[in-house]
Amino acid sequence: MKLVLDDDQQLLAKTAAELVSRDDALKRLRRLRDEKNENGYSKEVYAKMAELGWTAIPFSTDQGGAGLGVAEMAVVLEALGRALTPEPLLSSVMLGGRSLALGRFSESSWLDGVIDGSKRVCLAYQEPGSRFDAHHVETSAEKTTNGYRITGEKVHVLDGSGADAYIVSARSSGDTAAAAGIDLFVVPTRVGGVEVAVQRRVDARNAAILRLERVELPATARLGASGEGAALLDSVIDGATAALCAEMLGSMSEAFDRTVEYMKERVQFGVPIGSFQALKHRAARVFVEIELARSAVMAAARALDAGDDRARALVSVAKAKCSEAFLLTANEAVQIHGGIGMTDEHDIGFFLKRARGAEMTFGDAAFHRQRFAALSGY
């Protein structure tokens, strides 16, 4: 497995970096937060991303996509992570869109809308008390004469405010934590019985609570075969986890670069603080951890694209490593910046907040170490 970018991926990375350099996303993120913007992102910037073809990356050409993979999506998200760009590529493309694609949803207009950027479809799978267990599903899917009746509550729905539809996990049979008996359904926001409550995350990202009260859906709203939604859900979340790790890699790299520049500029006792041996050692440790995280992310993304049997385990390695490396980098960045790093006016604090939010998304380091052990037969 080659852990280097090919020519096409290098060009994609360059294009993404150019967009990030032109768009002051951190200033925009701060403004969206202060204004309490319900969408939490810029529709204009997202439209530019769609024009560049980024929303089509992980979908096959016969579905209208670019025919690329998780590795290419990771290249883009790493660049966007450097600017903490809040646009919903992860939620609408890697979660909602890939659920539609892998589930072979019959109504193609939804996937077409995700690919051209005109629609946002979010995955709603977490429930109160489920923590990181995607198979803990209490939301019920009751069969009716014409289809299904869905009742339940979903929490931490990424970018859930303002979405056009939701992919909802619901249980048609089996115990609460059983993998068997879970189905995924496409629930348009406009149908009766759907209530969306906006949430504000510590990293200023958009999230929502989704409440479903006897929502009537046709039989065609189900993705895939009956009772086999758990396998589809696992596949989608693994791909999104690898993509999130790439975004985290970009963010920790940017936080580190900003901190190194500060160490060169900040003078104390007549010399730059970067000349202090203790700070050099701390910076060296962070650099090593970031490079280890980079290798783990690239290995996970390539394994997923290749259908490698080790892919799920490698995703857990990447998420565990990125969660810890990003937190270490962000903590050191704030501390080395000193008092100014603790102020809201300074941008470095946004990286620490993002590290905390990303750490708890799709499972923290402890969860993924445990999952790696289980997948490895321990």
Side-chain angles (χ1 to χ4, degrees):
M1 184 185 295
K2 294 183 179 180
L3 300 184
V4 293
L5 300 181
D6 61 29
D7 291 342
D8 290 338
Q9 290 167 344
Q10 289 180 25
L11 180 60
L12 188 59
K14 182 181 178 182
T15 303
E18 288 174 352
L19 176 65
V20 168
S21 66
R22 292 196 303 268
D23 172 41
D24 193 346
L26 265 173
K27 184 181 293 185
R28 183 159 51 82
L29 179 64
R30 184 187 294 276
R31 185 179 68 253
L32 291 168
R33 181 202 64 177
D34 294 344
E35 293 174 353
K36 294 182 171 56
N37 184 284
E38 286 198 5
N39 287 320
Y41 73 99
S42 166
K43 292 183 178 181
E44 291 75 17
V45 173
Y46 193 59
K48 290 180 184 177
M49 294 178 179
E51 288 175 10
L52 288 168
W54 295 352
T55 51
I57 285 175
F59 306 110
S60 65
T61 53
D62 64 345
Q63 291 174 321
L68 300 174
V70 179
E72 285 74 23
M73 203 69 188
V75 167
V76 171
L77 284 169
E78 181 183 348
L80 299 186
R82 279 189 165 270
L84 301 181
T85 307
E87 275 59 47
L89 279 177
L90 180 69
S91 60
S92 190
V93 175
M94 294 304 295
L95 288 174
R98 288 190 79 239
S99 295
L100 294 170
L102 296 179
R104 297 289 174 180
F105 189 51
S106 58
E107 192 176 333
S108 61
S109 63
W110 284 108
L111 182 56
D112 292 342
V114 170
I115 290 174
D116 66 22
S118 63
K119 292 181 180 178
R120 283 202 298 118
V121 179
C122 298
L123 179 64
Y125 72 97
Q126 288 182 278
E127 298 192 355
S130 66
R131 195 162 171 78
F132 304 130
D133 185 2
H135 298 164
H136 179 108
V137 179
E138 296 183 27
T139 298
S140 64
E142 177 188 354
K143 285 190 176 182
T144 63
T145 304
N146 298 318
Y148 294 89
R149 181 179 297 120
I150 313 298
T151 300
E153 180 179 86
K154 300 294 181 177
V155 297
H156 304 300
V157 182
L158 293 180
D159 298 312
S161 176
D164 297 290
Y166 302 90
I167 310 296
V168 176
S169 60
R171 184 168 296 283
S172 54
S173 64
D175 297 330
T176 299
I182 297 175
D183 286 315
L184 299 182
F185 298 91
V186 178
V187 181
T189 307
R190 65 178 182 274
V191 301
V194 174
E195 178 188 348
V196 180
V198 179
Q199 288 182 301
R200 297 294 174 193
R201 291 175 28 136
V202 67
D203 55 7
R205 297 298 179 97
N206 171 358
I209 297 173
L210 179 66
R211 299 186 179 94
L212 306 146
E213 184 61 38
R214 299 176 63 83
V215 175
E216 299 287 343
L217 298 173
T220 54
R222 192 189 69 218
L223 295 178
S226 178
E228 297 180 0
L232 173 58
L233 190 60
D234 289 343
S235 181
V236 169
I237 293 174
D238 277 342
T241 302
L244 173 63
C245 287
E247 182 192 328
M248 295 169 75
L249 175 63
S251 297
M252 68 179 89
S253 298
E254 179 67 17
F256 177 70
D257 289 348
R258 287 176 179 236
T259 303
V260 169
E261 285 303 310
Y262 182 77
M263 290 169 63
K264 294 176 181 178
E265 297 169 358
R266 176 73 168 92
V267 175
Q268 195 168 9
F269 305 115
V271 296
I273 63 173
S275 65
F276 300 157
Q277 189 175 42
L279 293 186
K280 287 181 180 180
H281 288 173
R282 288 165 67 174
R285 181 192 173 197
V286 170
F287 175 80
V288 169
E289 292 299 315
I290 290 175
E291 291 308 302
L292 288 172
R294 183 179 306 281
S295 297
V297 171
M298 295 179 79
R302 281 154 177 71
L304 286 169
D305 288 338
D308 194 313
D309 291 339
R310 302 171 300 164
R312 298 202 74 202
L314 289 173
V315 168
S316 282
V317 170
K319 186 56 166 68
K321 174 53 68 177
C322 285
S323 293
E324 293 180 334
F326 193 6
L327 277 175
L328 171 67
T329 304
N331 284 336
E332 291 283 36
V334 170
Q335 190 168 28
I336 290 173
H337 274 80
I340 194 173
M342 297 293 294
T343 65
D344 184 66
E345 289 78 11
H346 200 283
D347 287 341
I348 201 67
F350 277 92
F351 290 90
L352 179 56
K353 292 172 183 176
R354 181 57 182 153
R356 288 295 182 185
E359 174 202 16
M360 301 303 289
T361 302
F362 308 137
D364 61 8
F367 170 83
H368 279 283
R369 282 195 294 268
Q370 178 64 35
R371 194 178 87 144
F372 176 83
L375 291 170
S376 301
Y378 293 103

